[in-house]
Amino acid sequence: MGHPKYLPQTGGKEIKVDHDTLDDIVKQLEKDLIDLKKYPTHSRKVTEETPSEAAMGDYQAGRTMYGTITAARDAIGGTFDQFITAYEQTIEALRASNRNHRKADDASKRGVEAAGNPNSAV
C-alpha cells in the first residue's frame, strides 16, 4: 500500500511544529481578544443605542420599524457575541494542539534517546 504521496515524509520538516511560534500566535490572539472585550459587549451596546418603542411613534409604521430595528439589533449583537465565543475556542484549540504536539515531540525525543542508550531495554 505504501505511504500516500500527498502526506509529508515521516521526520520531514513539513510536519515539525514550532512551539514558540504557536505560543506567540496564542499570545497575540489573546491580546486582541482582551482589546475586543474592553468595551461593553456589543450586543449590550447595540441595545443601549436602540431607540425606544415610544420614540418610533404610536402608529403602525413606527411599530413595524421598531420591530425591524430590534431584530437587526439582536442579530448584530448575537453575531458579535458568537464571534467572541468562537475566537476564545480557537485560542483554546491552538493552545491544546500545541500542548499535544509538545508532549508528542517530548515522547519522541525520549524514545530516540532511549534507543541510542545501550543500557536501555527495548
Side-chain angles (χ1 to χ4, degrees):
M1 193 155 117
H3 190 272
K5 292 182 182 182
Y6 58 86
L7 291 176
Q9 292 297 315
T10 305
K13 189 173 183 178
E14 301 90 65
I15 59 173
K16 181 178 182 334
V17 173
D18 187 329
H19 303 291
D20 293 336
T21 299
L22 272 178
D23 286 339
D24 290 344
I25 291 169
V26 167
K27 286 176 188 172
Q28 184 61 49
L29 291 173
E30 286 176 326
K31 181 184 171 295
D32 292 344
L33 181 62
I34 289 168
D35 288 344
L36 284 170
K37 288 178 145 185
K38 280 182 184 175
Y39 306 101
T41 61
H42 283 69
S43 58
R44 191 176 86 216
K45 186 168 178 58
V46 170
T47 298
E48 291 169 357
E49 300 296 327
T50 302
S52 67
E53 187 172 9
M56 304 311 291
D58 188 22
Y59 54 97
Q60 184 58 41
R63 287 188 291 278
T64 301
M65 180 176 265
Y66 179 75
T68 301
I69 290 169
T70 302
R73 173 201 68 198
D74 294 346
I76 292 167
T79 299
F80 189 81
D81 291 343
Q82 288 174 356
F83 169 76
I84 293 294
T85 299
Y87 205 98
E88 291 167 335
Q89 291 169 344
T90 299
I91 290 169
E92 187 50 41
L94 282 170
R95 187 179 286 123
S97 177
N98 195 26
R99 189 171 44 245
N100 290 338
H101 279 283
R102 191 180 302 269
K103 284 179 187 176
D105 287 349
D106 291 345
S108 292
K109 182 179 177 184
R110 285 190 305 274
V112 168
E113 288 169 349
N117 183 346
N119 297 323
S120 66
V122 179

